[in-house]
Amino acid sequence: MEHFIDVAPGVRLWAEERGAAGAPPLLLIMGAQASGTGWPEELVDALAVHHRVIRYDHRDTGRSTWAFDERPYPVTALADDAIAVLDGLGVARAHVVGLSLGGMLAQLLIADHPGRLLSATLMGTCALSTTPYTRPDGTPGELPGIAPEVLEMWSRPVEDRGAEAELERRVEHWRVLAGGLLPFDAEYFRALERRIIAHTGHYRAGTAHGRADDSGMLRTAALAATDVPVLVTSAPAEPVFPPPHARHLAQAVRGARVVEIPGMGHALPREVHGPLAAAILAHTAGRRS
């Protein structure tokens, strides 16, 4: 079932529900510049066996309002949008699953709206905390940065060279984000992006989230004191926030536990759908009301 939800003056978001209406709600929060249809159908279906799964398009993605140039907003507004989506669908409390920027937005929800969350799963993200990272041997450590090949691709200007060229740019982006431990299925990601472009109605690449003000996002004290049950996925091939970031999240977020998804990078290929769904469902089990 599809919806359009007014979340702010002049801002309307597309959302979709899947699964039994009476099942415990689970909100999927995508990463920067990513449509909600970036969540693979197979993964959504697996989660919908036990949940009322809600996915939505951020502002300036998919079928939601594209108006950053006329009405700029900070990144924190995207977390407010997530709460507005729940409000618009009459959901008092939900499990949340956030990927990349979505994982940061989920942390803002943990800190600022803990009463609205049944649990949270954080994927491919970093801690919104000044808590120092401690290596497994107990010594202080530094967190690794983004892989050079990712930075190089992100540094390239995105030019309109037509629909097929944009499609191939996106596939190459997924190749770099996948991390290289699993075989890369270009046709799978090409089909995914074709669905996203068809859903959006155009192939224009968004840039709003990269230009939005990202200040005021640290939540060190609130994350260290939370009672929200938190699962952190560790991806061994992760090129954006390599595995020490998952361990750091578990150190920064009270009670968080870590589960490794074999072969996973910063993408969601077929091979990770089963293990990822199993990890999320095991985390939400017993917390479904």
Side-chain angles (χ1 to χ4, degrees):
M1 183 183 300
E2 294 181 300
H3 307 270
F4 284 94
I5 302 167
D6 293 314
V7 300
V11 179
R12 176 169 289 185
L13 303 187
W14 173 89
E16 178 201 67
E17 297 180 83
R18 193 174 304 185
L26 187 152
L27 180 69
L28 297 173
I29 308 178
M30 246 300 163
Q33 304 303 160
S35 160
T37 52
W39 291 102
E41 299 296 316
E42 301 89 340
L43 178 60
V44 174
D45 286 340
L47 296 174
V49 172
H50 295 287
H51 289 286
R52 172 189 175 189
V53 178
I54 302 163
R55 59 179 176 173
Y56 68 100
D57 291 340
H58 293 297
R59 306 182 191 203
D60 293 280
T61 75
R63 295 182 185 172
S64 294
T65 300
W66 291 56
F68 182 82
D69 290 335
E70 294 78 27
R71 292 186 295 276
Y73 49 82
V75 173
T76 53
L78 300 177
D80 296 335
D81 287 352
I83 293 297
V85 168
L86 296 180
D87 290 342
L89 296 178
V91 175
R93 302 181 72 203
H95 301 278
V96 299
V97 177
L99 173 64
S100 195
L101 175 64
M104 298 178 197
L105 301 179
Q107 290 176 69
L108 294 179
L109 301 187
I110 292 167
D112 299 345
H113 302 279
R116 302 298 300 271
L117 271 58
L118 292 168
S119 77
T121 300
L122 310 177
M123 302 161 46
T125 194
C126 63
L128 301 182
S129 173
T130 58
T131 299
Y133 169 57
T134 302
R135 297 189 185 95
D137 64 5
T139 61
E142 291 189 7
L143 291 165
I146 300 170
E149 57 269 26
V150 176
L151 290 175
E152 191 279 328
M153 186 158 197
W154 287 354
S155 71
R156 301 177 196 170
V158 178
E159 301 173 349
D160 186 348
R161 296 176 177 169
E164 286 304 309
E166 172 60 17
L167 180 63
E168 293 311 307
R169 184 193 69 82
R170 296 186 188 190
V171 172
E172 182 59 25
H173 188 216
W174 282 122
R175 184 190 303 276
V176 172
L177 292 180
L181 283 184
L182 296 172
F184 183 75
D185 185 346
E187 286 306 313
Y188 170 82
F189 285 100
R190 190 170 288 112
L192 173 67
E193 288 296 339
R194 287 192 190 279
R195 288 195 298 272
I196 291 170
I197 290 169
H199 166 78
T200 303
H202 62 79
Y203 64 84
R204 187 169 72 253
T207 62
H209 300 165
R211 294 184 285 138
D213 179 4
D214 63 358
S215 63
M217 292 181 65
L218 288 176
R219 294 292 189 276
T220 303
L223 294 174
T226 188
D227 290 323
V228 175
V230 174
L231 175 69
V232 179
T233 63
S234 178
E238 172 65 61
V240 180
F241 299 110
H245 283 276
R247 294 195 290 270
H248 181 229
L249 268 166
Q251 294 166 7
V253 181
R254 180 174 181 258
R257 62 187 186 86
V258 179
V259 62
E260 181 173 305
I261 306 300
M264 187 171 171
H266 201 75
L268 300 174
R270 287 192 184 95
E271 292 88 346
V272 307
H273 297 170
L276 192 54
I280 294 169
L281 293 174
H283 181 56
T284 61
R287 304 183 182 97
R288 294 180 178 161
S289 62

